[in-house]
């Protein structure tokens, strides 16, 4: 009923890619200035969006990419560019503007996708589902997917306690740090996509 090796392999892979500890400062920066109740709701929404995207691509990933004629490297580059735009907003402080705070639900973009359900996680799940033979392996794959999303929700949900300690000045510092980290992640994702394009064309 349960394949421990398949479960452990995919869970560790998704943990490294989706990076629950690393998402904490980015989550705090993107949700800063909102009431605690709203932040908790956004943590739940982000996880739900990520799980929905991962589940859809796990079930229909190859068909979706083939239908749209989109390659995995193209998906990686597009995700990297989107993350880079968000990172620049964090670094320049544009996310502090009241209009943006009220109108934009960052739980959907960029938290849910592409930060959590990014190209790396999507591709890993597509391959894991494809390689899982039999009910036991499939069950283990989906158990790993479900568990990593529970971990992500717990990390973001309880990271709100940090805000009470660091106060407003600390939030600004975390926002700038998150912007720098996110810009590095975005550039690396773009590089990975371009590298795959070059290797594929070679």
């Amino acid at each position: 009923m349960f394949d421990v090796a398949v479960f452990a392999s995919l869970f560790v892979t998704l943990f490294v890619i989706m990076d629950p500890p690393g998402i904490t400062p980015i989550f705090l920066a993107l949700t800063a200035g909102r009431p605690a109740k709203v932040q908790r709701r956004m943590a739940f929404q982000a996880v739900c969006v990520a799980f929905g995207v991962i589940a859809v691509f796990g079930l229909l990933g190859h068909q979706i990419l083939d239908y749209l004629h989109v390659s995995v490297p193209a998906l990686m580059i597009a995700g990297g560019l989107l993350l880079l735009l968000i990172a620049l907003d964090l670094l320049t402080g544009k996310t502090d503007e009241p209009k943006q705070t009220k109108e934009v639900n960052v739980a959907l973009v960029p938290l849910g996708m592409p930060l959590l359900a990014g190209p790396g996680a999507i591709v890993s799940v597509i391959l894991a589902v494809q390689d899982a033979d039999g009910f036991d392996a499939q069950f283990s794959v989906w158990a790993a997917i479900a568990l990593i999303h529970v971990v992500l929700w717990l990390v973001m949900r309880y990271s709100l306690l940090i805000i009470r300690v660091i106060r407003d000045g600390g939030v600004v510092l975390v926002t700038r740090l998150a912007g720098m980290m996110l810009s590095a992640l975005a550039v690396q994702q773009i590089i990975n996509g371009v590298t795959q394009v070059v290797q594929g064309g070679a």
Side-chain angles (χ1 to χ4, degrees):
M1 280 293 294
F2 195 77
D3 191 322
V4 176
V6 171
F7 172 85
S9 176
L10 181 58
F11 180 80
V12 170
T13 299
L14 291 178
F15 190 92
V16 171
I17 293 174
M18 302 177 89
D19 192 14
I23 201 66
T24 299
I26 298 173
F27 173 74
L28 292 176
L30 291 173
T31 61
R34 294 172 171 85
K37 183 178 179 180
V38 174
Q39 290 174 315
R40 288 193 294 268
R41 185 173 71 244
M42 293 178 75
F44 182 72
Q45 288 176 336
V47 170
C48 287
V49 169
F51 181 79
V53 172
I54 291 291
V56 168
F57 276 94
L59 295 171
L60 304 169
H62 282 294
Q63 293 89 328
I64 292 173
L65 294 180
D66 290 344
Y67 176 76
L68 296 175
H69 302 290
V70 173
S71 66
V72 172
L75 189 65
M76 295 177 70
I77 294 171
L81 290 172
L82 178 58
L83 290 182
L84 188 58
L85 291 175
I86 302 298
L88 292 175
D89 281 347
L90 291 175
L91 285 169
T92 57
K94 289 184 180 179
T95 55
D96 297 333
E97 296 176 5
K99 179 180 178 182
Q100 191 173 37
T101 300
K102 291 179 180 179
E103 295 181 3
V104 176
N105 188 353
V106 296
L108 307 181
V109 177
L111 274 175
M113 184 178 180
L115 275 177
L116 297 182
I122 289 173
V123 172
S124 297
V125 168
I126 290 175
L127 295 177
V129 172
Q130 177 182 309
D131 295 339
D133 295 323
F135 176 80
D136 291 359
Q138 287 287 339
F139 179 80
S140 302
V141 164
W142 289 101
I145 293 171
L147 182 59
I148 191 63
H149 283 85
V150 171
V151 171
L152 286 165
W153 175 74
L154 289 173
V155 168
M156 289 190 292
R157 167 68 175 79
Y158 290 102
S159 67
L160 298 177
L161 297 175
I162 299 174
I163 292 181
R164 299 179 185 177
V165 177
I166 63 177
R167 307 287 182 174
D168 292 341
V171 169
V172 173
L173 178 62
V174 168
T175 299
R176 301 299 180 266
L177 175 63
M180 188 166 56
M181 292 170 54
L182 194 56
S183 62
L185 287 172
V187 171
Q188 185 61 57
Q189 191 164 294
I190 294 171
I191 291 173
N192 292 343
V194 172
T195 301
Q196 288 192 26
V197 170
V198 172
Q199 290 177 343

